[in-house]
Amino acid sequence: MNQLISTQDSQRQQIMHAIATSARLGENTKAQYSREVVKAQAAGVNLLNATEVADYASTLSTSSRSFLRAGLKTWTRRIKLETNAGATPDSMNVVNATIARLSALDEAIELESHKGQKAHLWLSSSEVRYLMSTVNGRTGRRDKIVLALLVGAGLRRDEAVNLRWEDVKNQGERVVLDIVGKGQKARIVPISDTLAIMLQSWRQLSKSTKSERVLRGHASGGRLTDSLTGAQLFNIVRKYGKRIGKEALAPHDLRRTFAQLGYENGVPVTQLSRLLGHASIETTQRYLNMELDLNVTASDFVPL
């Protein structure tokens, strides 16, 4: 419980350590969270003072506010666990005070969406075809693979940029992707024949470098670099989103679309949950544009 009684430097070290050692986060996400923590402290914010944090966060963009909040929550979650684990009957007053202070910090940063703004975005089948048809130019082949891995395999941004050719495997008559996602959870994602052929063609085209990464950056003159960053991938998605009138299109929207189109065509939610690497079906349900049907339920078909 002495974690809360610390210097500014010690605060930052503790928070940064919690982010860096979190098994739930990808490397790009860790970098984004850490950057916002450093910026906040450089601005003189006491990261344990909920009022100071709230005032500072109100000056940030939505994305920066979101990253700072998530970074702080990564730390407070760990401290709450350690505080509760060390609780004794004699220390309950201190424990409760510590938990209350951490909870206030968790709620200090408000993430308000603009009025009328959709929280999530899904593309229809026709919109996906339109999206893919807009891909052209010098980087077109690479860009099409980027979009296809997100919307055709449901990969997270970090999973896509870290995918290696050794992760593309034959399993029976199907090509699958061997993915290690959040929390180091492994999963197999079977892909369509169309995506498998696209990957095979891209592999032949990108043999010019020694990198084993599937996705590459583009240097001047069209030369492929050894890897693609998460930020570059985000910009690729945003670029083609604008071409179809979806200016706010993000990588996670394509992952949601993968789930939604599968669900609409009869893939069970339980299977979608495994394909997405979700910890629970409830998480998958939030991905889907679905509501509970109270008129017809499974109970109606059980012969009691």
Side-chain angles (χ1 to χ4, degrees):
M1 281 167 283
N2 60 358
Q3 291 96 329
L4 299 184
I5 305 172
S6 58
T7 64
Q8 290 273 50
D9 284 344
S10 181
Q11 280 179 21
R12 184 180 63 191
Q13 290 171 5
Q14 291 165 10
I15 297 170
M16 300 287 268
H17 177 73
I19 294 171
T21 57
S22 174
R24 301 162 54 130
L25 305 177
E27 292 305 314
N28 287 325
T29 302
K30 291 178 182 179
Q32 289 167 328
Y33 291 1
S34 299
R35 181 173 62 249
E36 294 304 326
V37 169
V38 170
K39 284 169 55 180
Q41 195 168 55
V45 178
N46 180 350
L47 297 175
L48 299 181
N49 186 310
T51 301
E52 285 190 29
V53 170
D55 289 344
Y56 169 74
S58 67
T59 68
L60 301 176
S61 66
T62 300
S63 59
S64 292
R65 206 159 58 236
S66 176
F67 293 147
L68 178 60
R69 185 191 199 199
L72 292 177
K73 277 198 169 187
T74 300
W75 174 71
T76 59
R77 187 185 300 115
R78 176 174 296 187
I79 299 302
K80 285 179 181 179
L81 179 63
E82 293 175 357
T83 299
N84 283 322
T88 66
D90 293 336
S91 67
M92 286 310 299
N93 287 338
V94 177
V95 168
N96 291 334
T98 301
I99 297 299
R101 188 173 176 186
L102 291 169
S103 296
L105 186 58
D106 284 344
E107 301 302 321
I109 302 176
E110 297 181 1
L111 300 179
E112 298 178 353
S113 58
H114 297 294
K115 186 176 181 180
Q117 182 181 11
K118 289 182 64 176
H120 300 306
L121 174 65
W122 296 267
L123 300 183
S124 65
S125 293
S126 60
E127 286 173 329
V128 171
R129 283 192 290 270
Y130 183 23
L131 177 74
M132 299 302 285
S133 73
T134 66
V135 181
N136 54 32
R138 180 171 55 84
T139 65
R141 287 197 177 184
R142 189 279 314 276
D143 295 350
K144 185 162 282 192
I145 293 295
V146 168
L147 299 175
L149 286 174
L150 298 173
V151 76
L155 300 191
R156 298 179 176 94
R157 177 164 50 170
D158 284 352
E159 293 168 351
V161 298
N162 290 315
L163 186 69
R164 297 177 178 273
W165 287 116
E166 65 187 29
D167 303 323
V168 183
K169 302 176 179 179
N170 290 307
Q171 190 163 302
E173 296 183 357
R174 179 76 78 166
V175 175
V176 303
L177 306 181
D178 191 357
I179 304 298
V180 177
K182 280 188 176 181
Q184 296 301 300
K185 288 178 58 179
R187 72 183 192 277
I188 295 295
V189 180
I191 61 174
S192 68
D193 292 342
T194 301
L195 179 51
I197 292 170
M198 290 172 63
L199 284 170
Q200 184 179 31
S201 175
W202 171 244
R203 186 170 193 175
Q204 293 298 317
L205 186 69
S206 60
K207 272 186 172 179
S208 57
T209 68
K210 295 180 180 180
S211 174
E212 283 301 311
R213 304 259 179 154
V214 174
L215 297 182
R216 314 287 181 78
H218 267 281
S220 57
R223 180 180 59 83
L224 289 172
T225 62
D226 288 341
S227 62
L228 185 76
T229 68
Q232 289 170 330
L233 182 145
F234 181 90
N235 289 334
I236 290 168
V237 174
R238 186 57 56 89
K239 168 185 173 181
Y240 291 101
K242 289 179 180 178
R243 292 187 179 185
I244 65 169
K246 306 286 186 182
E247 295 190 356
L249 188 68
H252 228 65
D253 296 322
L254 297 183
R255 178 169 153 86
R256 289 190 192 97
T257 297
F258 165 82
Q260 182 67 28
L261 294 181
Y263 174 71
E264 290 176 357
N265 287 278
V267 180
V269 175
T270 50
Q271 184 174 342
L272 288 171
S273 188
R274 287 193 289 270
L275 291 172
L276 293 166
H278 285 161
S280 69
I281 291 178
E282 287 76 14
T283 302
T284 308
Q285 289 173 325
R286 289 197 295 271
Y287 265 56
L288 303 175
N289 194 15
M290 61 184 287
E291 294 181 358
L292 187 63
D293 188 344
L294 298 180
N295 295 315
V296 179
T297 180
S299 181
D300 295 336
F301 303 97
V302 179
L304 299 177

